[in-house]
Structure formats: structure tokens, C-alpha cells
Amino acid sequence: MNDWAPTSWQSRPLLQQPDYPDRRALEEVVRELSALPPLVTSWEVERLKGKLAACAAGEVFLLQGGDCAESFSSCEADTITAQLKILLQMSLVLAHGTRKQVVRVGRIAGQYAKPRSAEREERKGVSLPSYRGDLVNRRAFTTADRTPDPRLLLKGYERAALTLNFIRALVEGGFADLRHPEYWNLDFVQYSRRRSDYEEIVRSIRESIEFMENVLETPVDKVRRSDIYTSHEGLLLYYEQAQTRRVPRREGYYNLATHFPWIGLRTSDPRGAHVEYFRGIRNPIAVKVGVTTTDEQLAELLEILHPDDEPGRLTLIHRMGLDGIDEHLPRLIEVVRRSGKTVLFSCDPMHGNTEIAPDGHKTRHFDRIVGELERAFAIHRQMGTILGGVHLELTGEDVTECIGGARGLGTDDLARAYETSLDPRLNYEQAMELAMILAHRLRNGDST
Ligand code: PEP
Ligand code: CO
């Protein structure tokens, strides 16, 4: 790694970055951010890497989920608690289905920067920079709000720290509430045609919660703090660079802004700045692959990002869409097989299934999300590989952003509680239902 440094990405082609008008202010912020304490530790990062290695081997299952984009204004107790609750409850349902430990990773405490398809947005003849997430600029369509502001990097780091601090405190204090049936909002079960399957799952979870505690590594109400990990798309490389550190008694550099950063689909060019940055950090990393990822590109990514075939190091999150998965997943699995390397395969059934509803809202259909997941399990089974995780956009709150699910949300419902700042998320009930469908499948022979 002699030819790598936390700044070496700066000489590579760089996509999806804001154009900061005040370079000096940016440099100052990066300096300040580089001196602030880390958000996570290298031993947590290494521990997660070990768990992800177990996921790749089919011994543990990865549940990764959270907002498409966190916003600074939703850094609130209720929102964070709801997010934690949905991840924990889904993980119990999945552990029940898989009979495996589930490792939970939030898209949380740093998921503030977004890739955009257009550099600029036009409205009524006015052209301004696109909104790129709260880490970069603000949503309101004014020149002042849309001009990239480097101070938001510091604010993002602080919001991430506040979020993580609260998560650690909650987890430390124990989620005793998980034991109480009234904390599980499962009324939706009665509206589903799969009602009896779900009721059986709920009943047996309730009955076996004591047993679950023995299967899980720790009691459900004393989840160890490091048992919730953080992740975000490592998009804004000034932010990532500033949190990249050496630590005593370990080799190399760690990104200590998050446990598990990933490379988005749009920035996964093997010769680009993002891949250059990611190759040098010791964290477990993920890369999104989709229908546009070529065989050659994936082969190069495996070489560059996963040269030593270190267990747990590389996760491939495939996001093909229900229409693309049959054609494209098998060829990418073949590329991995030819490389002789081991990766963790995880399925993101969200980003390939986005559509625009007649009223203009971006949405996703629950059945297509479930459909892609089912195809993913089937294809991996046919090819003799393991689907070791899922990657979801979800919220613990009662929003109306995705359609379908037990309550049959339709396009008419979208306007009622459409709150996402970018992509549509599964709401609490849809997320729980998805976990139950997976648990039911996994329980009934569709083993991972
Ligand atoms: C995302 O995860 O929010 C995202 C932008 O995904 P992708 O890079 O797969 O398009
Ligand atoms: Co998204």
C-alpha cells in the first residue's frame, strides 16, 4: 500500500462531488474534522468484519437497513428509537426464520450525502445545483440553500455523533420493551392473505423469546452496543478522508466515521476516485452492483478492492430490479466464481424497482421488492452460492412511500404521509411483513 494515502483519491477522476465555491473554507473544515475524535473504533470495525465473514459462510445473516437519506432535522429521539426498534424486531423475526444469528447494520449516523443523476435542477427557467443531501447543501430552491457549504460537513459529523451516542445509550440501557407484546405493532397481520403464516410466526416468536435469547449471542433486552453497527455510502470523499486514521497497534488506515461504508453504483468505476479511496482502508466495505455493471468491471473491482481475499472484507450488494435479476445476477456470480475469491452477497431489492406513480411521487411496489428477493434466493441456490444478507430502505415510522403490503396501500395513499427526502422507504408494517415473508420462506426449506 505504499502508493496509497487517505488523499490519493484526489488525483483520480471524481464523480458526484459538489463544487465548493470557497475552497479555503473547505480546507479549513477538512482540517478541523481531521482533528475531531472518531465516531467508531477499530475493534468494533474488526468485529463486524468477522461477522460479515460468517455471513459469507452462511452462518450468520446480515440485515442492513435505514433511510435512503438521513436528514439533520430528523436527528430526534423518536425517529432514532423507531429505527432501532424496527431493525431489532426484524432481526428477531429473521433469526427465527433462519435459525441463525443476525447482524444488524443501520444506514444511519452518516447517511447524509446522495448521488444525483443531474448536476443541476431547473425550475421555471432558474438553474441551481441539485440537492445532494444535508451534508452538502439544503433542499430549498434558492441560491443560498443550494450552494454547497463546507460547514455542513462539520454539522453532519456532529449529527452522526449525536445519533450514535443515543443509539449506544439505548442499546446499553437495554431494549426491555422488546419483550412486551404491545411494543410489537402487528395489527396489520389480520389484513393479509398470508395471515395464518404470520400469526404462526408471531406466536412462535412470543413463545420462544426465551429460546431466542439462547440462539442469539446475547439476551434480546441486552443487545450489546456493538451489535448495532453503522453504515453509509462513502460518497463525499472529503468527509471520509478526514475521518481516516491510523490506530495504535494495528496495520493500515481505518475509516472511523462508520463501521461499514459502501461504494454506490454510480461511483463504482474501478479507475475512479471512490474505488481508489476504498481500496486503502481496512474496514469491511461493500460495493453496489447492478445491471450496468460489466463482467470486466466486477473482475477489476475484485482485484483492486479484495486483493487478499480477506474474510469479511468485501460485500457485493446486488440491486438489479425484478426485471433485471434473472439476466444479470448469474453472470456476476460467475465472475466472482472465476476470481476464486469469497465475497458476501447481499440483495438490495429497492433501487432496481423504483417507479414514478401517476401523481409524480417516486414509489416502489412491495410485491416487486419481495419478488426480487425471492429470485435472488432462488438464483443463489441454483448456482450454489449463498445469499447472506439483505439491504433495505426502511423506516420505523408510519409513512406512505411504498405501495402494497398487507394493508394494500395504493397510489392514492402516497400523499398522506410521504416524508422521505429522496427514495421511498418501507414503513414499519411493510418492513415487518417483509421480514415475516423471508422468515417463512427460510424456515420452509428455502435455506440460505
Ligand atoms: C442508495 O443506496 O441510496 C443508492 C443511491 O443506491 P445505488 O448506489 O445502488 O443506486
Ligand atoms: Co436510495
Side-chain angles (χ1 to χ4, degrees):
M1 277 292 164
N2 291 336
D3 57 343
W4 185 91
T7 52
S8 58
W9 59 270
Q10 292 181 12
S11 60
R12 296 292 185 96
L14 183 56
L15 295 176
Q16 296 287 343
Q17 303 297 293
D19 190 7
Y20 289 104
D22 187 346
R23 301 294 297 187
R24 190 167 302 166
L26 173 66
E27 281 161 23
E28 210 152 284
V29 162
V30 171
R31 233 186 341 266
E32 191 173 339
L33 207 50
S34 306
L36 289 168
L39 300 180
V40 303
T41 62
S42 61
W43 55 92
E44 292 167 353
V45 168
E46 287 297 337
R47 189 172 143 82
L48 175 61
K49 203 191 282 173
K51 298 238 175 179
L52 296 173
C55 292
E59 293 153 8
V60 173
F61 193 77
L62 167 67
L63 170 64
Q64 185 177 16
D67 290 312
C68 178
E70 289 177 277
S71 63
F72 293 172
S73 63
S74 63
C75 180
E76 292 175 330
D78 290 352
T79 310
I80 297 167
T81 308
Q83 208 72 326
L84 220 52
K85 170 178 145 177
I86 184 68
L87 282 176
L88 288 172
Q89 292 189 352
M90 286 178 82
S91 73
L92 287 187
V93 172
L94 288 171
H96 178 261
T98 56
R99 297 280 172 206
K100 289 173 189 165
Q101 211 187 96
V102 174
V103 58
R104 315 160 190 100
V105 177
R107 288 175 59 117
I108 202 163
Q111 178 55 20
Y112 297 121
K114 297 305 298 177
R116 299 311 307 269
S117 40
E119 287 286 315
R120 301 182 72 81
E121 186 179 339
E122 319 278 333
R123 284 192 205 173
K124 295 191 183 122
V126 180
S127 162
L128 290 175
S130 294
Y131 168 65
R132 290 183 175 276
D134 283 6
L135 199 57
V136 175
N137 54 6
R138 300 177 191 85
R139 279 188 85 78
F141 196 72
T142 70
T143 303
D145 287 305
R146 288 294 176 90
T147 303
D149 177 355
R151 285 168 310 178
L152 296 174
L153 295 170
L154 280 170
K155 190 158 177 185
Y157 161 84
E158 287 159 9
R159 292 286 148 125
L162 293 172
T163 304
L164 194 51
N165 180 58
F166 188 50
I167 293 173
R168 291 187 192 280
L170 282 174
V171 171
E172 185 101 322
F175 262 85
D177 287 347
L178 271 186
R179 287 169 165 275
H180 298 301
E182 66 274 15
Y183 204 60
W184 295 65
N185 315 115
L186 298 174
D187 296 347
F188 72 91
V189 164
Q190 64 194 290
Y191 301 105
S192 172
R193 59 194 152 83
R194 305 183 181 99
R195 174 177 177 165
S196 62
D197 295 343
Y198 295 170
E199 281 177 342
E200 186 224 304
I201 291 171
V202 173
R203 194 169 43 243
S204 81
I205 287 181
R206 283 183 181 149
E207 279 170 12
S208 62
I209 205 145
E210 291 295 328
F211 169 75
M212 295 300 303
E213 293 183 343
N214 299 327
V215 173
L216 295 174
E217 199 181 29
T218 47
V220 283
D221 60 349
K222 289 202 185 60
V223 186
R224 291 201 4 214
R225 83 168 69 160
S226 54
D227 275 346
I228 300 258
Y229 297 91
T230 61
S231 69
H232 64 250
E233 178 174 348
L235 183 70
L236 201 49
L237 292 177
Y238 289 106
Y239 183 79
E240 308 304 330
Q241 170 202 316
Q243 286 283 316
T244 302
R245 314 279 166 83
R246 282 188 184 281
V247 298
R249 292 179 295 284
R250 286 193 203 273
E251 294 281 307
Y253 286 87
Y254 286 81
N255 179 332
L256 297 178
T258 189
H259 297 113
F260 185 26
W262 78 85
I263 304 176
L265 185 71
R266 293 176 184 75
T267 49
S268 60
D269 175 358
R271 265 162 287 277
H274 289 79
V275 170
E276 170 61 17
Y277 169 76
F278 272 74
R279 87 182 166 93
I281 56 174
R282 302 279 307 145
N283 301 57
I285 62 171
V287 58
K288 296 275 202 104
V289 294
V291 299
T292 55
T293 306
T294 65
D295 294 1
E296 297 70 33
Q297 184 186 352
L298 179 57
E300 279 187 71
L301 289 171
L302 290 166
E303 279 282 300
I304 299 170
L305 297 173
H306 200 28
D308 308 324
D309 200 16
E310 182 193 7
R313 156 73 174 172
L314 185 65
T315 299
L316 294 183
I317 304 173
H318 48 78
R319 32 87 85 218
M320 310 273 176
L322 181 57
D323 295 334
I325 190 165
D326 285 314
E327 182 182 346
H328 296 281
L329 181 56
R331 69 175 175 84
L332 293 187
I333 292 175
E334 261 317 311
V335 174
V336 174
R337 184 173 287 157
R338 278 200 300 274
S339 77
K341 293 180 177 165
T342 302
V343 302
L344 165 58
F345 288 102
S346 175
C347 176
D348 164 0
M350 312 298 293
H351 286 89
N353 292 310
T354 313
E355 51 190 285
I356 307 289
D359 67 353
H361 282 103
K362 243 196 209 182
T363 191
R364 292 165 173 155
H365 202 294
F366 186 79
D367 290 345
R368 296 183 66 80
I369 293 168
V370 172
E372 180 168 354
L373 275 173
E374 287 182 337
R375 290 304 305 142
F377 277 108
I379 291 167
H380 280 288
R381 196 177 51 243
Q382 281 156 15
M383 299 205 52
T385 42
I386 294 166
L387 182 61
V390 291
H391 180 112
L392 303 168
E393 286 185 343
L394 52 81
T395 168
E397 307 200 306
D398 183 21
V399 301
T400 54
E401 298 169 7
C402 291
I403 54 185
R407 282 194 203 263
L409 285 189
T411 47
D412 296 350
D413 296 299
L414 291 176
R416 182 152 46 83
Y418 195 94
E419 289 167 20
T420 181
S421 55
L422 285 164
D423 286 341
R425 303 159 296 175
L426 296 168
N427 64 24
Y428 173 84
E429 292 185 342
Q430 291 166 331
M432 284 304 285
E433 185 173 0
L434 187 70
M436 288 188 189
I437 292 172
L438 285 177
H440 186 68
R441 287 289 136 72
L442 295 168
R443 212 58 211 270
N444 291 285
D446 206 339
S447 112
T448 59

